[in-house]
Amino acid sequence: MTGNNASASRESAKAARQLAAAQAPMTINCPDVAVRLWSVPQQARPAVDNELAQLDTQVADAYGQLATGDAKADQNWVRSQVLDPLSSQRRSTLDRIAAEIERVSTRPQGLDSLASCTVKRDDVAPASGAAVPSAPASGTSAPGAPAPGASAPAAGGQAQTGPRRSDFVDIRKVRPNVASPRLQSTASRGTFQSRCGRNENKHFNPDNVIVAPGVSNGAHHMHDYVGNLETDAFSSNDDLATAGTTCTNGDRSTHYWPVLRLRNGKNEGDVNLPGGGQDGNVGRILQPASVQLTFRGSPVSKVTAIPTFLRIITGDAKAFTNGTANANASWSCTGFENRQLKDKYPLCPQGSNVVRTFKFQSCWDGQNTDSANHRTHVAFARPNGSCAKGFRAIPQLVQRITYKIAPGSVFAVDSFPEQLHKPGTDHGDFINVMSSSLMRKAVNCINSGRRCG
């Protein structure tokens, strides 16, 4: 090869790499303000929660802007038209948060340092219909092609990204990895179940009454609900206490999690709505094959009653950009549940169902039913099963949800736009609205070692 030809070849390869990089999906990465607010006075929480929800809306809007053609071609355009305006909006919102706290307490310092965001490109190949290591069904995408409905522009102008091929793994190739603390003689060995159906009444909304009360589309993804029939962003404790329920024992508790969608190119009725296509969530919503809601005891002690209206979130809806500190996703397949996946979707063999399991925090501070970041009032037990000093053991809620999904199908959880439907962002939510008598029955059952429900 001559010098000129070699030079031309290098330039051509460089141009190809630049073009591929420019066309790769981009993810907006912003500091999560909510997890940094450890202490917000009770009087300021409603206003602060509203402002935190506005931060999520700003990122979702910026993500839609990022999905335009200009964003893929020009980094200066990304800076001037996406990141700079977003940072300006966030700075104003953070200033309002600080002012709201200052009305009743000391103004927090350093919030303005959380205003700036960055973007990163994802050059990993999208998942395809041939993701399972078996022959793809007729009509599925060619290897390396986007999953059906996974990369086409969604309604509202947002490009749909994720899941990726690397987000899936054959469960048969995963080694057993589940270990449990040894039960001590003082353990509470019983269980209590609430049977609340599989959301047959199609109770969906993109709200989050725990994290963003009073804000429509506060989650920017669709939630699946069982239990309390009235749960949405505007539900007060009084509303929850008097609502109907899908639970057979009268339990009015609220249980919800992101919907799971089949990415087969067929859309739900929310394809043009907030939480659905407008926020990059497309595909057919899958109804669970089963939902099990079980309360378990402590391996080292008796448990005490869960207070009414205690709120718990487990997992992190923003784990893709926040990191795994608060992530608590567990994916598996029936027949293989001694193998749990934290950051991959399972590819299950024929006859085996996909399983999502949420094991909630089982230690409570004994005082608060919520906290500023919705985390610090509860905690996970230590490796030996005991609670840290200042916390007491409560029944541990385990939400176990299964789905019948044909081998070779591409599926994903709904997510915030910037979280790319990553499996590690899966999360569960719970508000305890059991009556005092039902909670006493549950605690007695668990502490006496019986199985009830």
Side-chain angles (χ1 to χ4, degrees), residues 45-309:
R45 284 185 188 175
V48 169
D49 283 340
N50 187 278
E51 296 295 349
L52 291 172
Q54 292 307 311
L55 292 174
D56 288 331
T57 297
Q58 292 161 9
V59 173
D61 291 345
Y63 199 75
Q65 180 80 336
L66 191 64
T68 69
D70 286 341
K72 294 181 179 179
D74 187 346
Q75 285 299 305
N76 290 330
W77 186 94
V78 173
R79 171 59 59 186
S80 64
Q81 299 300 313
V82 179
L83 292 181
D84 287 347
L86 176 59
S87 295
S88 178
Q89 290 177 325
R90 285 172 61 84
R91 193 167 287 108
S92 296
T93 303
L94 291 168
D95 185 64
R96 291 195 298 272
I97 289 174
E100 289 292 344
I101 296 175
E102 189 178 25
R103 291 179 193 276
V104 294
S105 184
T106 304
R107 185 182 181 90
Q109 300 299 309
L111 286 184
D112 56 346
S113 67
L114 306 178
S116 296
C117 304
T118 59
V119 297
K120 66 177 182 179
R121 295 188 182 274
D122 182 6
D123 58 358
V124 180
S128 76
V132 179
S134 61
S138 176
T140 56
S141 304
S151 297
Q158 292 196 12
Q160 177 59 35
T161 54
R164 318 302 286 173
R165 182 187 291 273
S166 58
D167 291 329
F168 294 83
V169 66
D170 185 339
I171 194 67
R172 294 168 294 188
K173 296 182 179 179
V174 178
R175 291 181 179 275
N177 56 11
V178 174
S180 299
R182 179 177 298 178
L183 293 178
Q184 299 185 13
S185 60
T186 52
S188 43
R189 300 168 183 260
T191 60
F192 182 87
Q193 284 194 346
S194 279
R195 295 179 175 84
C196 303
R198 303 179 292 121
N199 196 14
E200 289 90 345
N201 57 320
K202 299 188 182 300
H203 183 178
F204 303 117
N205 63 53
D207 301 344
N208 192 327
V209 68
I210 297 177
V211 175
V215 179
S216 294
N217 194 32
H220 295 274
H221 53 265
M222 204 62 66
H223 280 133
D224 217 346
Y225 291 84
V226 299
N228 199 289
L229 287 168
E230 298 297 326
T231 312
D232 61 22
F234 305 95
S235 301
S236 67
N237 285 347
D238 288 343
D239 294 332
L240 297 176
T242 57
T245 179
T246 65
C247 302
T248 57
N249 59 3
D251 181 4
R252 291 186 172 91
S253 296
T254 290
H255 300 264
Y256 59 103
W257 45 81
V259 299
L260 194 67
R261 295 189 194 243
L262 190 65
R263 308 301 293 278
N264 61 354
K266 297 180 180 179
N267 290 316
E268 288 285 354
D270 64 355
V271 67
N272 294 310
L273 298 177
Q278 284 188 14
D279 287 301
N281 296 300
V282 296
R284 181 167 67 84
I285 293 175
L286 294 166
Q287 184 181 45
S290 67
V291 173
Q292 293 176 312
L293 306 172
T294 304
F295 293 88
R296 297 177 178 173
S298 162
V300 300
S301 71
K302 303 300 183 184
V303 296
T304 190
I306 303 173
T308 308
F309 303 125

